[in-house]
Amino acid sequence: MDTRNRPKVSVCIVTYNHEKYIRGCLQSLVDQARNFLFEIVIADDCSTDNTRCIVQEYARKYPDIIRTFFHEKNIGPAKNYVFVHEQAVGEYIAHVDGDDYALPGKLQMQVDYLDSNPECNIVWHRMRLLNVAKDLLVDDLIDISSLPKTRFDRGDILRFITIGMNSSKMYRANVRDFPLPIFPVVDYFINVEQVGSGYAAFVGTEPLGVYRVGGGVASAGNLTRIVLRDSFLYFLSKYPKHAKDIGVAAFVLFVAALKNKQWSNVRLFGSVVLKTFRLETMSLILSSRKMVSMLKLPVDVRR
C-alpha cells in the first residue's frame, strides 16, 4: 500500500445479528471529526437478520472508508475478532462491537494521545452504559482522579481482567501479532499480550462511547469463564513472576462464584487460586479493592 494513502486508524467492527444497532454504530464512526485518514473494517459473522444489507448499504455510501467481510459460515466471536483485526492496515487499530457506538471526539482524542505518548501501547476511554430494557443510560463507575495509577502494565491487566471496555480500545498495530494458544482468546488475553513492555491508559475523564449492557464476562455463559481459567493457567506458565496478579484475578472470580452459589465456577477458579496463592496475594487483594469496585457495572443498569 502507498504509505501516503495508508489510513492512520483502522476501526475494526465485529457484528452478528445487530440489525437494530449496526446503523447507529457505523454512523457514529463516519461522523467522527478528525484530521487523519481512517478506515472501517467490518466482519459480519453470517448474520441471519438484516445486518448484512445494512452493512452493504453503508459500504456503498462510503466506499473510500468502509471495507466489508461476510462469512458464509458462522465462525464465532473469538475467531471473528482475530480475523477482522488481521485485516487492519492502519498505524493504530480501534475496536468497536457492532451493538455499541462512539461519541464525538473519540478517534481524534485517542490518536492524539498515542501520538504524544510513544510508550503507551493501548489507550481506552470511559464509556456510558445503556440498558435498553430499562431505557437507562448512565456513566461507568471509573473515577479517573481516584485511580490508584494512571499507567497500567501487564501485571495490572492480569490482576483486574477488564480495565477498559473492549469497544473503547485503540492500540498500536505493531503490538497486534502474538502467538495464539489452542483455546479461544477473549479481550483479556489479547490485552495482556498487546500491552507488552509498555503501558495502557485512559485518554481522559469523559466517556467517549456507549456500551449496551448484556455482553462480556459478567453476563456470558460458562464457556467464557472456562476460557478465562485457561488464560490464567497459560499466563502462569508464560509469566510466572506475575503469579500473584493472576491469583488476585482468580480469587475475585472465586469469591463471586461462591457468593452466587455457582459451584462449577467455584471449582473452576478455586483450582487456579490454589496454584497461584502467595503470602503477598492477600495484601494485594486488599489494596486492589478500590479499583475492583470502579470496574463493576453500576447497579442500575445490571440485567
Side-chain angles (χ1 to χ4, degrees):
M1 173 179 289
D2 186 338
T3 56
R4 292 172 300 180
N5 296 319
R6 179 190 181 188
K8 178 82 169 181
V9 174
S10 296
V11 182
C12 294
I13 301 175
V14 292
T15 189
Y16 174 71
N17 284 359
H18 286 153
E19 67 175 0
K20 293 181 180 179
Y21 311 123
I22 192 62
R23 190 183 301 277
C25 175
L26 291 170
Q27 195 64 50
S28 74
L29 292 167
V30 298
D31 286 345
Q32 291 280 306
R34 63 201 184 280
N35 60 10
F36 52 82
L37 295 176
F38 88 121
E39 66 170 356
I40 297 172
V41 188
I42 181 167
D44 176 68
D45 198 14
C46 197
S47 291
T48 59
D49 62 5
N50 201 40
T51 298
R52 176 182 288 211
C53 292
I54 297 171
V55 171
Q56 290 172 329
E57 170 195 332
Y58 268 78
R60 288 192 297 268
K61 189 174 181 180
Y62 302 98
D64 296 332
I65 296 177
I66 298 177
R67 290 195 290 132
T68 60
F69 297 88
F70 300 105
H71 299 302
E72 296 305 321
K73 293 183 179 179
N74 186 276
I75 64 174
K79 289 184 178 180
N80 198 26
Y81 179 100
V82 172
F83 170 84
V84 74
H85 282 254
E86 288 176 340
Q87 315 311 313
V89 298
E91 178 184 353
Y92 303 148
I93 303 173
H95 178 83
V96 180
D97 289 332
D99 55 345
D100 298 334
Y101 60 94
L103 294 175
K106 166 190 166 64
L107 296 181
Q108 188 68 58
M109 288 185 67
Q110 290 187 289
V111 165
D112 290 346
Y113 189 93
L114 288 175
D115 281 348
S116 300
N117 296 274
E119 294 182 4
C120 179
N121 286 332
I122 299 172
V123 62
W124 298 300
H125 55 71
R126 294 184 59 209
M127 296 285 281
R128 305 206 76 194
L129 312 173
L130 176 62
N131 185 310
V132 178
K134 296 180 179 180
D135 191 26
L136 185 64
L137 182 66
V138 302
D139 289 353
D140 61 27
L141 296 175
I142 296 173
D143 181 355
I144 300 295
S145 65
S146 297
L147 289 175
K149 59 196 307 184
T150 58
R151 297 183 175 189
F152 302 95
D153 59 21
R154 176 171 281 145
D156 297 316
I157 297 174
L158 282 165
R159 190 185 324 151
F160 296 120
I161 304 177
T162 301
I163 298 177
M165 291 186 176
N166 210 24
S167 287
S168 78
K169 180 182 176 182
M170 183 180 288
Y171 65 96
R172 298 184 187 277
N174 61 14
V175 301
R176 172 179 51 192
D177 300 322
F178 52 86
L180 291 172
I182 59 173
F183 54 85
V185 295
V186 291
D187 50 312
Y188 168 67
F189 187 102
I190 294 169
N191 289 338
V192 168
E193 294 290 46
Q194 289 181 341
V195 73
S197 58
Y199 66 88
F202 283 92
V203 69
T205 61
E206 296 302 315
L208 293 172
V210 175
Y211 165 73
R212 295 183 195 274
V213 176
V217 173
S219 61
N222 205 51
L223 178 60
T224 301
R225 291 174 174 84
I226 292 171
V227 170
L228 272 178
R229 186 275 314 273
D230 292 343
S231 298
F232 292 155
L233 296 176
Y234 179 94
F235 289 133
L236 182 60
S237 174
K238 187 171 184 178
Y239 305 116
K241 71 175 184 178
H242 288 300
K244 62 182 184 299
D245 298 306
I246 298 167
V248 171
F251 183 81
V252 169
L253 293 174
F254 170 78
V255 171
L258 196 63
K259 180 180 178 181
N260 294 311
K261 298 181 180 180
Q262 298 170 333
W263 306 120
S264 62
N265 291 329
V266 168
R267 291 190 294 272
L268 198 67
F269 296 118
S271 63
V272 182
V273 170
L274 292 175
K275 287 179 179 290
T276 57
F277 183 80
R278 305 288 188 275
L279 289 177
E280 61 265 36
T281 302
M282 294 310 298
S283 62
L284 192 58
I285 289 170
L286 293 174
S287 66
S288 300
R289 287 183 300 173
K290 184 176 182 179
M291 184 69 182
V292 170
S293 67
M294 280 196 285
L295 299 178
K296 294 180 178 179
L297 293 178
V299 174
D300 288 347
V301 296
R302 294 180 193 170
R303 292 192 186 276

